[in-house]
C-alpha cells in the first residue's frame, strides 16, 4: 500500500501526489538551491578580491567591490526568503 492511497500497487499514480507539479517543485527547489550556492561562492570570491585590493592600497577598487559584496549579500538574503517560502508552499 502506498503512503497516499492504495492505487499504487495497481500501476496508477496516486491523485493526491500530483506528480508533474511535485516534480516541477523539486526541480525549482534544486535550481534555487544551486543559485543560492552560486551567490554564496561569488560573494566569497568578490570579498577575497576586495580584501586583496584593500591590502594593496587600491581603496577605490576595493570600495566598489565591497559595494558589489553588499549587493550580493542582499540578493542572498532575498533568495533565501524565496527558497523558504517555496519550501513552505506559499
Amino acid at each position: 500500500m502506498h503512503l497516499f492511497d492504495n492505487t499504487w500497487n495497481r500501476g496508477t499514480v496516486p491523485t493526491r501526489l500530483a506528480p508533474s507539479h511535485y516534480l516541477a517543485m523539486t526541480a525549482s527547489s534544486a535550481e534555487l538551491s544551486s543559485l543560492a550556492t552560486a551567490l554564496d561562492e561569488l560573494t566569497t570570491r568578490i570579498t577575497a578580491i576586495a580584501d586583496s585590493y584593500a591590502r594593496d592600497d587600491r581603496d577605490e577598487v576595493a570600495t566598489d567591490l565591497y559595494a558589489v559584496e553588499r549587493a550580493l549579500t542582499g540578493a542572498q538574503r532575498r533568495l533565501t526568503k524565496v527558497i523558504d517560502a517555496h519550501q513552505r508552499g506559499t
Side-chain angles (χ1 to χ4, degrees):
M1 186 162 143
H2 189 268
L3 178 64
F4 295 103
D5 62 29
N6 64 0
T7 61
W8 190 259
N9 292 330
R10 288 181 277 169
T12 59
V13 177
T15 55
R16 289 181 53 201
L17 189 57
S20 61
H21 180 69
Y22 177 76
L23 291 175
M25 285 182 61
T26 302
S28 295
S29 295
E31 184 71 16
L32 290 172
S33 178
S34 177
L35 289 169
T37 299
L39 274 174
D40 183 52
E41 291 171 355
L42 285 171
T43 303
T44 300
R45 292 169 63 188
I46 289 289
T47 302
I49 294 168
D51 290 345
S52 175
Y53 277 113
R55 280 191 303 275
D56 292 341
D57 292 325
R58 306 265 321 265
D59 293 332
E60 188 174 314
V61 175
T63 299
D64 288 339
L65 288 172
Y66 287 129
V68 171
E69 174 195 34
R70 284 190 301 278
L72 289 172
T73 300
Q76 283 176 292
R77 271 191 238 108
R78 185 165 223 160
L79 184 56
T80 297
K81 287 180 184 180
V82 169
I83 291 168
D84 290 345
H86 183 73
Q87 289 174 344
R88 287 190 312 269
T90 59

